[in-house]
Amino acid sequence: MEEDGVQEMRDMSPEEEDLIRRLHRLLGDRWEIIAGRLPNRTAKEVEKYWKMKEIEKFKTNKIYKPICNRLSPSFKFSEDNKKQEL
């Protein structure tokens, strides 16, 4: 099976995962260079793996924030506050 010209993704070994994490921290999104350090891995395959891991990480670490924050009772909407800030 091919998807976007990339072979079906094979599982990454823990060593490969660690190397990808460390190289991404150093190099950023330079997938060609990172894939060059991994035997039998293409840049597309490494990038797809990274994006998949980021999505999983985002889903597990999702933080729900309130829609709005309450203003303290002492806060007043007036021109005086703007003048004091300047």
Side-chain angles (χ1 to χ4, degrees):
M1 264 190 232
E2 289 201 11
E3 187 177 304
D4 297 325
V6 179
Q7 294 177 356
E8 189 173 320
M9 197 161 88
R10 297 165 281 157
D11 290 334
M12 296 275 183
S13 69
E15 293 82 16
E16 288 176 314
E17 290 179 13
D18 181 54
L19 186 58
I20 291 169
R21 259 188 253 108
R22 289 188 291 130
L23 289 173
H24 186 267
R25 192 178 316 130
L26 288 171
L27 303 170
D29 293 340
R30 297 167 126 183
W31 304 117
E32 289 287 336
I33 297 171
I34 294 171
R37 295 296 204 163
L38 299 166
N40 302 321
R41 298 286 184 182
T42 64
K44 290 264 187 199
E45 191 176 13
V46 173
E47 181 180 8
K48 184 177 177 182
Y49 167 79
W50 181 260
K51 302 251 186 227
M52 182 184 68
K53 284 294 185 182
E54 287 295 302
I55 290 169
E56 286 176 11
K57 185 173 141 183
F58 176 76
K59 285 180 181 177
T60 58
N61 295 330
K62 199 170 196 177
I63 297 172
Y64 295 96
K65 295 183 179 180
I67 294 173
C68 66
N69 293 325
R70 289 189 131 196
L71 298 173
S72 66
S74 63
F75 185 84
K76 295 178 184 173
F77 290 99
S78 69
E79 291 295 318
D80 295 335
N81 286 342
K82 289 182 184 177
K83 290 178 186 174
Q84 289 174 356
E85 290 176 357
L86 298 175

